[in-house]
Amino acid sequence: MTHRQSDRDPTYTRWVHNQHPKHITFPAHDRSVVTCLIFTHGRIISASDNHSIHVYDPITGNLIHSLDGHKGGVWSIAATKNTLVSGSTDQTVRVWDLTTGRCTLVFGGHTSTIRCLEIVKPEWIDVENESGTIIREKWPKRPLIVTGSRDHSLRVWSLPRPGDAEYKSTEESEIDPSEVGNPYHRLHLKGHDGAVRALAAQGRTLVSGSYDYTVRVWDIISGTCRWVLEGHTHKVYSVVLDIHRNFACSGSMDGTVRVWDLNTGQNRHTLQGHTSLVGLLGLSPSYLVSAAADATLKVWNPESGELQHTLAVHQGAITCFQHDEDKVLSGSDGALKMWDIREGTQVRDLLTNVTGVWQVVFKGRWCIAASNRDNATVLDVWDFGMEEGDEREDEPPDGIYDDDTDDEDSDQAEGEAMD
């Protein structure tokens, strides 16, 4: 893999050379652990193990909304435009209107903690029709929510549109939501023999990783399990997916990362080198990055399985990271570091001398981290487009997990069919 300096995202030079980015710090969630952090459409959204979800302004640090309703720690969130979905130890899924801060829907059905969830947006994919011809279709036909739970199962729900009827479960655990009239419930996916710890979904494909040592590949529309991927010798903690290149990757407590062929269900590569739990994975066009409890991150070529770099300066287990085609940001006990992903070299420290870094997200010129210092939980926000003291440019913050399109209009044209 070769790269030219001119291939760099122009914002990368700001990240490297701006030694005094605009930086604010503000308290969040008292002293609780921040379990989830996303940056979406100009909002910072953080969730914690003390039941709370907060929405902040990234420029001022002001609290916009406190989303109250969960009765247990919140361990998974996802957002699209003005809608947030959250999953909790209270066994419910909640849907929130981010413009008002109201909870509009509560879904019961899972019988244990909801540990992972995703919003699956429609996208064009290649499919084979009955005559064997490859055609392009848009799946799913409307946005979906997928949830994975410690109850060993996954559920698929329709993502409500603005103005759709509100629905709030009368019980925290409905054994079969379809029988009690939940119009948003679509599928209950059973088959795992252990907690579902991680999931990834695109188009019609859902991949789930479980404490039963397996990875399962599902058709998200029909509910069919296409493959049971066996090979790991311990719990699976992380999965990533690329339907356009037809592979998925999984990280396990056995210290390995496996790359799976979605066409055949075979193991393409077993990536070895970590010495303990691989709890986090990230995938971009050129790089697969794994982060482990052995205090290292490894950068791989996902196509060949070749190890590109080992990032080994942290002193403790990697607690969070994000990467793109230029950089990696990684957090561990005491520090948040930035790396050049192409060279495998450390660029700078963003945080030092903190008790722990729990979450980090970045997008464009913006970076947000959640950490603990001085026995308090804080959020740090950096704007790498500016030096301290500069006037703010008229550029609204953008966020991860979102694109710039409004799916709802195209969904209406596509219709409501779920196949």
Side-chain angles (χ1 to χ4, degrees):
M1 191 187 313
T2 60
H3 300 280
R4 300 188 308 274
Q5 184 67 26
S6 60
D7 293 334
R8 294 283 195 185
D9 183 332
T11 60
Y12 178 72
T13 58
R14 294 178 175 179
W15 282 75
V16 173
H17 298 297
N18 187 340
Q19 295 303 309
H20 302 285
K22 188 71 175 179
H23 177 209
I24 63 171
T25 302
F26 52 92
H29 302 283
D30 299 319
R31 300 178 181 179
S32 299
V33 173
V34 174
T35 54
C36 312
L37 181 67
I38 60 177
F39 182 34
T40 169
H41 284 83
R43 305 178 183 100
I44 299 169
I45 306 175
S46 57
S48 84
D49 62 355
N50 74 349
H51 312 181
S52 65
I53 304 171
H54 288 171
V55 183
Y56 296 97
D57 183 315
I59 295 176
T60 65
N62 292 337
L63 180 66
I64 300 171
H65 296 299
S66 180
L67 309 183
D68 302 316
H70 278 299
K71 299 176 183 177
V74 179
W75 284 94
S76 51
I77 60 175
T80 178
K81 209 166 186 179
N82 291 320
T83 300
L84 177 76
V85 182
S86 58
S88 168
T89 60
D90 67 13
Q91 306 174 14
T92 67
V93 179
R94 286 179 176 260
V95 181
W96 309 83
D97 183 338
L98 290 173
T99 60
T100 64
R102 289 187 62 249
C103 177
T104 57
L105 299 104
V106 181
F107 298 161
H110 283 297
T111 57
S112 188
T113 295
I114 297 160
R115 193 59 183 82
C116 47
L117 66 82
E118 275 197 16
I119 293 172
V120 192
K121 293 185 176 181
E123 64 179 284
W124 292 100
I125 61 173
D126 293 332
V127 297
E128 185 176 334
N129 63 16
E130 294 180 357
S131 63
T133 303
I134 300 297
I135 60 173
R136 289 180 64 76
E137 293 184 351
K138 199 171 190 180
W139 289 102
K141 296 300 184 184
R142 61 171 292 176
L144 301 174
I145 304 165
V146 182
T147 54
S149 170
R150 287 179 179 157
D151 67 11
H152 305 184
S153 75
L154 301 103
R155 290 184 182 271
V156 181
W157 323 76
S158 295
L159 178 71
R161 295 188 178 97
D164 280 357
E166 294 192 5
Y167 177 87
K168 296 188 178 180
S169 168
T170 56
E171 299 179 26
E172 292 189 357
S173 298
E174 296 166 356
I175 302 304
D176 186 348
S178 61
E179 291 184 359
V180 295
N182 185 339
Y184 299 100
H185 186 260
R186 290 290 174 261
L187 295 169
H188 188 195
L189 306 180
K190 302 178 183 179
H192 280 298
D193 293 324
V196 178
R197 180 60 174 76
L199 64 85
Q202 283 182 278
R204 293 184 65 130
T205 303
L206 165 66
V207 176
S208 56
S210 170
Y211 285 176
D212 66 9
Y213 305 3
T214 71
V215 176
R216 286 180 175 255
V217 182
W218 312 82
D219 185 312
I220 199 174
I221 306 303
S222 69
T224 304
C225 181
R226 291 173 50 202
W227 304 109
V228 179
L229 308 178
E230 298 179 317
H232 283 298
T233 59
H234 218 304
K235 297 175 180 178
V236 178
Y237 271 75
S238 50
V239 295
V240 290
L241 168 66
D242 189 327
I243 58 169
H244 302 292
R245 291 186 284 178
N246 286 307
F247 68 82
C249 310
S250 55
S252 168
M253 190 177 277
D254 64 17
T256 69
V257 177
R258 290 179 178 261
V259 182
W260 308 92
D261 189 311
L262 296 179
N263 286 327
T264 65
Q266 298 301 305
N267 187 186
R268 286 188 188 178
H269 309 292
T270 300
L271 310 182
Q272 298 178 317
H274 285 298
T275 58
S276 58
L277 164 66
V278 182
L280 300 168
L281 290 176
L283 183 64
S284 68
S286 302
Y287 304 102
L288 169 67
V289 180
S290 56
D294 62 11
T296 70
L297 301 98
K298 291 183 180 291
V299 181
W300 314 84
N301 180 322
E303 302 285 356
S304 67
E306 175 190 1
L307 177 63
Q308 305 278 310
H309 307 293
T310 297
L311 313 181
V313 177
H314 284 294
Q315 301 302 308
I318 309 302
T319 52
C320 57
F321 86 90
Q322 185 182 331
H323 83 279
D324 59 17
E325 292 289 277
D326 294 305
K327 60 189 176 294
V328 181
L329 267 66
S330 58
S332 180
D333 286 347
L336 176 65
K337 297 181 180 295
M338 175 181 168
W339 311 80
D340 184 312
I341 196 170
R342 303 183 185 187
E343 303 299 327
T345 55
Q346 185 181 343
V347 175
R348 66 196 300 173
D349 286 327
L350 291 179
L351 287 176
T352 57
N353 300 317
V354 296
T355 305
V357 181
W358 291 313
Q359 303 289 335
V360 63
V361 293
F362 66 81
K363 173 69 176 181
R365 55 194 267 186
W366 299 87
C367 178
I368 302 97
S371 65
N372 179 280
R373 55 181 179 266
D374 300 326
N375 202 30
T377 299
V378 299
L379 292 181
D380 287 270
V381 182
W382 294 266
D383 179 354
F384 281 93
M386 308 181 66
E387 298 277 354
E388 283 280 1
D390 288 349
E391 293 294 328
R392 283 199 175 271
E393 301 171 20
D394 186 18
E395 178 184 326
D398 198 358
I400 63 168
Y401 300 154
D402 291 299
D403 54 31
D404 295 325
T405 61
D406 185 349
D407 291 322
E408 290 158 13
D409 292 340
S410 60
D411 297 337
Q412 193 71 35
E414 291 285 343
E416 298 280 343
M418 291 293 297
D419 194 23

